């Protein structure tokens, strides 16, 4: 007969942290959220370490190049979705890697024979007021000038006026040469009172812009996650079908870490994919695997050579795998079980294989619980889908702003590879839904608030880093009535300004 786990499958909502002794050093500003991403020997540093324990999900509705840049600025990693043609995923990775900190590729480019009307249309499309004027109208063309807001007045000019008549020509531009450091570029900006500085190579081709406004942005993001070349770090999703073509292309594009994107990862297909990577690249290419929900699944993928292991089946807000197939496990129980296996594997082998909790996060405090239970970092879909930087449309539904959000197992995504068990290349049924999530604004503000709560809770538990939190945390299971007690109760709530119709 089937074996049955003795303990019930539990969610994060069924646990609370019990505070511990806090010393005078336990201040939010002293808390570090640095965390390892890939496998490393005990006592050695992981080759990839994030500044914050958050990664964005491998989903069409979440992780594109815009999200990747925004999250890297905060210290985390986005995994570009793999349910797209290889060429387009590669292009997204390249766009992220072209963003050296402070150096921006131009996405607003026109020819000198374009008109003011074209400038205004491009500005409306991109939101950017600086337009590079190149011979061929591309970002890599030979630069002939720049158009900024100060170069024209719509009320006094005909929209058919050619750009060549009002642009600032190259011979009147202050520019930096390719190879200039960010510090040197910023000095030129300030010395010459410029708003933007074009960076030009030896062939007079535009390579980047450095903007004055980004100087403050760079200072405001001390956790930026950069590679050795000062480029933002980015991950990418792969599958077990076309990995022999997709992985080399992503590696060449500069992807820093890969992950096999699958709803259930305890399979020979994943071991086969990892084996191919190790035979071709050795340990130079970092690749995570999953998803699993017990010790047996973790050990299988760790032995196969995974650089990290992802945990979670059916816990995502748009995932209906449990409903459709009857497989899965409460996320809290899964994380606790796999974390124990991770530590036992470390003791046995001397290698630490980080684990990523994927799914089951509803409230911000669930982030802290996942870390306390043993997760090294947390993958989020719904959380990031709400922000300006996600690739979906912002809509007004019944007076409320929302963003579209759909699962990779939905018919909209058509990501049959993620649920493939070696059969026909088509979906038989859906394991995800198509939905909306409340719009929440900019990623930067929201992430700072969420992680502020995490740090504050860690201080309550007497912990200044994630390892201390995992070592010293005390967890208690909560009853249904204590959950009610934990919220506002037995009072008449006042109306808030947001609920008053004026």
């Amino acid at each position: 007969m089937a074996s049955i786990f003795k303990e019930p499958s539990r969610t994060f909502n069924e646990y609370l942290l019990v505070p511990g002794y806090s010393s005078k050093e336990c201040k939010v500003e002293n808390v570090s959220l640095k965390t390892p991403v890939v496998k490393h020997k005990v006592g050695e540093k992981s080759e990839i370490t994030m500044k914050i324990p958050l990664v964005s999900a491998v989903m069409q509705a979440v992780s594109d190049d815009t999200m990747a840049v925004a999250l890297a600025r905060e210290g985390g990693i986005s995994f570009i979705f793999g349910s797209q043609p290889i060429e387009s995923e590669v292009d997204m990775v390249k766009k992220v890697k072209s963003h050296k900190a402070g150096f921006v590729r131009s996405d607003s480019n026109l020819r000198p024979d374009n008109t003011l009307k074209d400038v205004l249309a491009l500005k409306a499309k991109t939101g950017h007021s600086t337009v590079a004027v190149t011979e061929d109208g591309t970002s890599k063309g030979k630069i002939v000038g720049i158009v900024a807001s100060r170069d024209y007045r719509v009320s006094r000019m005909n929209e058919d006026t050619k750009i060549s008549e009002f642009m600032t020509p190259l011979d009147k531009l202050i520019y930096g040469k390719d190879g200039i450091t960010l510090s040197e570029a910023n000095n030129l900006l300030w010395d010459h009172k410029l708003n933007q500085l074009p960076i030009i190579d030896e062939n007079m081709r535009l390579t980047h812009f450095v903007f004055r406004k980004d100087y403050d942005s760079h200072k405001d993001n001390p956790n930026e996650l950069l590679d050795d070349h000062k480029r933002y770090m980015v991950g990418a999703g792969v599958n077990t079908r076309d990995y022999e073509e997709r992985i080399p292309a992503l590696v060449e594009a500069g992807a820093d870490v890969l992950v096999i994107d699958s709803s259930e990862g305890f399979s020979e297909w994943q071991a086969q994919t990892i084996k191919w990577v190790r035979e071709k690249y050795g340990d130079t290419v970092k690749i995570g695997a999953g998803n699993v929900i017990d010790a047996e699944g973790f050990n299988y993928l760790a032995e196969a050579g995974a650089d990290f292991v992802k945990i979670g089946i059916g816990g995502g807000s748009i995932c209906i795998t449990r409903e459709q197939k009857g497989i899965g496990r409460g996320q809290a129980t899964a994380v606790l079980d796999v974390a124990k296996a991770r530590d036992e594997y470390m003791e046995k082998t001397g290698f630490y294989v980080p684990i990523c909790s994927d799914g089951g996060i509803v409230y911000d405090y669930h982030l802290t619980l996942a870390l306390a239970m043993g997760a090294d970092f947390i993958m989020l879909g719904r959380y990031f889908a709400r922000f300006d930087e996600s690739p979906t449309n912002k809509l007004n539904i019944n007076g409320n702003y929302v963003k579209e959000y759909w699962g990779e197992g939905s018919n909209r995504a058509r990501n049959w590879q993620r649920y493939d068990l070696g059969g026909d290349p088509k979906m038989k049924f859906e394991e995800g839904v198509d939905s909306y999530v409340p719009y929440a604004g900019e990623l930067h503000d929201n992430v700072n608030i969420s992680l502020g709560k995490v740090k504050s809770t860690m201080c309550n538990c007497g912990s200044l880093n994630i390892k201390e939190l995992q070592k010293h945390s005390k967890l208690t299971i909560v009853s249904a009535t204590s959950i009610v007690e934990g919220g506002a109760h037995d009072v008449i709530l006042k109306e808030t300004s947001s609920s008053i119709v004026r």
Side-chain angles (χ1 to χ4, degrees):
M1 61 174 287
S3 60
I4 302 175
F5 288 99
K6 293 181 180 179
E7 293 296 320
S9 174
R10 298 190 182 278
T11 67
F12 293 130
N13 228 34
E14 296 177 77
Y15 287 89
L16 287 174
L17 283 157
V18 176
Y21 168 74
S22 300
S23 70
K24 291 189 293 184
E25 294 300 311
C26 283
K27 302 175 183 177
V28 169
E29 56 268 28
N30 292 337
V31 174
S32 169
L33 293 178
K34 289 184 178 179
T35 192
V37 178
V38 297
K39 178 173 65 177
H40 57 281
K41 283 186 178 181
V42 175
E44 296 183 1
K45 186 179 179 182
S46 174
E47 289 186 43
I48 302 177
T49 299
M50 290 190 297
K51 309 287 184 65
I52 63 172
L54 304 182
V55 298
S56 66
V58 197
M59 299 176 70
Q60 294 174 8
V62 180
S63 298
D64 65 351
D65 51 288
T66 301
M67 176 62 71
V69 169
L71 188 50
R73 281 183 178 143
E74 303 303 321
I77 292 176
S78 281
F79 284 90
I80 303 292
F81 67 93
S83 53
Q84 60 178 317
I86 295 173
E87 296 75 17
S88 55
E89 186 178 11
V90 164
D91 186 56
M92 287 186 182
V93 169
K94 285 181 176 179
K95 285 179 179 178
V96 180
K97 300 308 291 185
S98 71
H99 273 77
K100 290 191 292 185
F103 292 83
V104 180
R105 293 276 186 188
S106 175
D107 64 355
S108 298
N109 312 283
L110 292 171
R111 300 186 310 274
D113 61 343
N114 285 121
T115 64
L116 175 59
K117 183 178 181 179
D118 297 319
V119 172
L120 299 176
L122 188 58
K123 181 179 178 181
K125 178 181 178 182
T126 65
H128 299 155
S129 57
T130 299
V131 176
V133 186
T134 61
E135 287 184 346
D136 61 2
T138 71
S139 61
K140 296 181 180 179
K142 286 188 177 182
I143 190 165
V144 295
I146 284 178
V147 172
S149 297
R150 67 174 184 271
D151 292 317
Y152 60 86
R153 292 189 66 177
V154 177
S155 60
R156 296 189 178 185
M157 292 174 61
N158 190 307
E159 288 192 353
D160 293 328
T161 305
K162 292 188 181 298
I163 289 175
S164 57
E165 297 180 29
F166 61 88
M167 70 181 185
T168 301
L170 179 61
D171 58 7
K172 293 184 179 179
L173 284 176
I174 303 294
Y175 58 86
K177 293 184 178 180
D178 194 26
I180 189 173
T181 67
L182 183 59
S183 177
E184 291 168 340
N186 281 320
N187 286 339
L188 281 175
L189 282 171
W190 289 99
D191 291 344
H192 296 278
K193 299 181 180 179
L194 305 172
N195 289 321
Q196 67 281 316
L197 180 76
I199 309 299
I200 300 172
D201 67 16
E202 58 185 8
N203 297 314
M204 302 309 291
R205 296 183 184 277
L206 179 68
T207 64
H208 296 88
F209 273 112
V210 176
F211 293 96
R212 179 190 286 257
K213 64 180 176 62
D214 287 340
Y215 177 76
D216 290 332
S217 174
H218 185 58
K219 287 175 62 179
D220 290 340
N221 293 286
N223 285 332
E224 285 182 320
L225 194 61
L226 308 173
D227 64 17
D228 294 337
H229 302 286
K230 303 297 182 184
R231 303 174 303 179
Y232 289 123
M233 299 190 77
V234 62
V238 300
N239 61 66
T240 58
R241 278 280 184 159
D242 64 7
Y243 60 88
E244 293 186 17
E245 294 79 37
R246 189 175 294 267
I247 290 177
L250 291 169
V251 170
E252 185 178 351
D256 297 284
V257 57
L258 307 174
V259 65
I260 303 172
D261 181 36
S262 173
S263 65
E264 199 279 300
F266 190 0
S267 76
E268 185 177 356
W269 298 103
Q270 294 220 0
Q272 177 180 296
T273 303
I274 297 169
K275 180 181 179 183
W276 182 86
V277 170
R278 296 294 172 242
E279 289 176 348
K280 184 173 178 63
Y281 297 103
D283 290 327
T284 61
V285 169
K286 306 302 179 184
I287 183 167
N291 287 16
V292 300
I293 51 175
D294 65 1
E296 191 177 0
F298 168 84
N299 287 321
Y300 178 80
L301 293 178
E303 290 291 345
D307 283 297
F308 66 87
V309 174
K310 212 145 62 73
I311 309 162
I313 294 177
S317 61
I318 41 68
C319 184
I320 53 173
T321 295
R322 297 179 193 175
E323 178 183 311
Q324 291 280 51
K325 297 167 71 172
I327 63 171
R329 199 178 192 187
Q331 190 68 5
T333 300
V335 171
L336 287 165
D337 193 10
V338 174
K340 183 172 182 285
R342 186 260 327 270
D343 292 345
E344 291 173 349
Y345 183 85
M346 177 183 65
E347 291 294 328
K348 182 177 70 173
T349 67
F351 282 92
Y352 187 88
V353 180
I355 56 176
C356 168
S357 176
D358 177 18
I361 302 295
V362 180
Y363 305 109
D364 284 348
Y365 81 89
H366 290 171
L367 300 172
T368 320
L369 283 171
L371 295 172
M373 290 174 178
D376 294 282
F377 54 99
I378 302 156
M379 179 169 279
L380 300 163
R382 180 193 60 85
Y383 178 86
F384 286 116
R386 304 172 301 147
F387 303 148
D388 288 321
E389 294 83 359
S390 74
T392 63
N393 294 318
K394 176 183 171 185
L395 306 172
N396 189 309
I397 305 291
N398 297 325
N400 297 309
Y401 283 106
V402 298
K403 294 208 74 175
E404 296 177 294
Y405 181 48
W406 60 92
E408 288 297 297
S410 66
N411 273 320
R412 181 170 183 174
R414 306 299 305 169
N415 187 6
W416 63 268
Q417 295 97 331
R418 189 174 197 271
Y419 301 86
D420 177 37
L421 295 176
D424 295 332
K426 56 186 177 182
M427 291 178 64
K428 302 293 193 304
F429 53 87
E430 290 185 287
E431 293 186 44
V433 300
D434 198 342
S435 63
Y436 302 112
V437 289
Y439 168 68
E442 293 185 355
L443 179 147
H444 174 76
D445 295 336
N446 284 278
V447 165
N448 279 341
I449 292 171
S450 296
L451 294 183
K453 295 177 185 178
V454 172
K455 289 181 178 181
S456 181
T457 306
M458 288 173 66
C459 287
N460 292 141
C461 296
S463 304
L464 291 175
N465 57 59
I466 293 171
K467 286 303 173 191
E468 287 184 8
L469 178 69
Q470 293 169 349
K471 182 178 180 180
H472 301 305
S473 287
K474 295 177 290 185
L475 295 166
T476 181
I477 296 173
V478 296
S479 67
T481 52
S482 66
I483 293 175
V484 174
E485 179 186 64
H489 61 90
D490 302 315
V491 294
I492 301 172
L493 294 177
K494 293 181 180 180
E495 286 186 308
T496 62
S497 58
S498 60
S499 65
I500 297 174
V501 179
R502 300 187 186 277

